[in-house]
Amino acid sequence: HISVEVMRAARRACAAQVCTLFATGFAALQITVGRLTVSQDVVLGVPTGGQALLPNDNLIGHCVNL
């Protein structure tokens, strides 16, 4: 459970950096995994970028905007 105060602070931080909550949470996950594994090279992925939900059938390749 994430408190309302923490969510508000996260949203303000995201707005100040012009990024999404997903990108911020994903970065936090990468930092946490890196610290837990004592590794500087951490590779995490997301199985889908949501392009299947787009109506554009002409899209080729993967679009990334984290």
Side-chain angles (χ1 to χ4, degrees):
H1 175 72
I2 300 174
S3 70
V4 174
E5 295 83 18
V6 171
M7 281 304 297
R8 285 182 184 149
R11 285 190 176 118
R12 281 193 301 270
C14 292
Q17 296 299 317
V18 191
C19 67
T20 64
L21 277 172
F22 174 80
T24 302
F26 198 68
L29 177 64
Q30 286 182 301
I31 291 167
T32 302
V33 170
R35 287 183 179 172
L36 290 174
T37 61
V38 192
S39 176
Q40 292 183 1
D41 295 325
V42 175
V43 178
L44 298 176
V46 180
T48 181
Q51 280 82 16
L53 303 175
L54 298 175
N56 189 354
D57 293 333
N58 297 324
L59 180 66
I60 299 175
H62 184 71
C63 302
V64 176
N65 188 10
L66 291 177

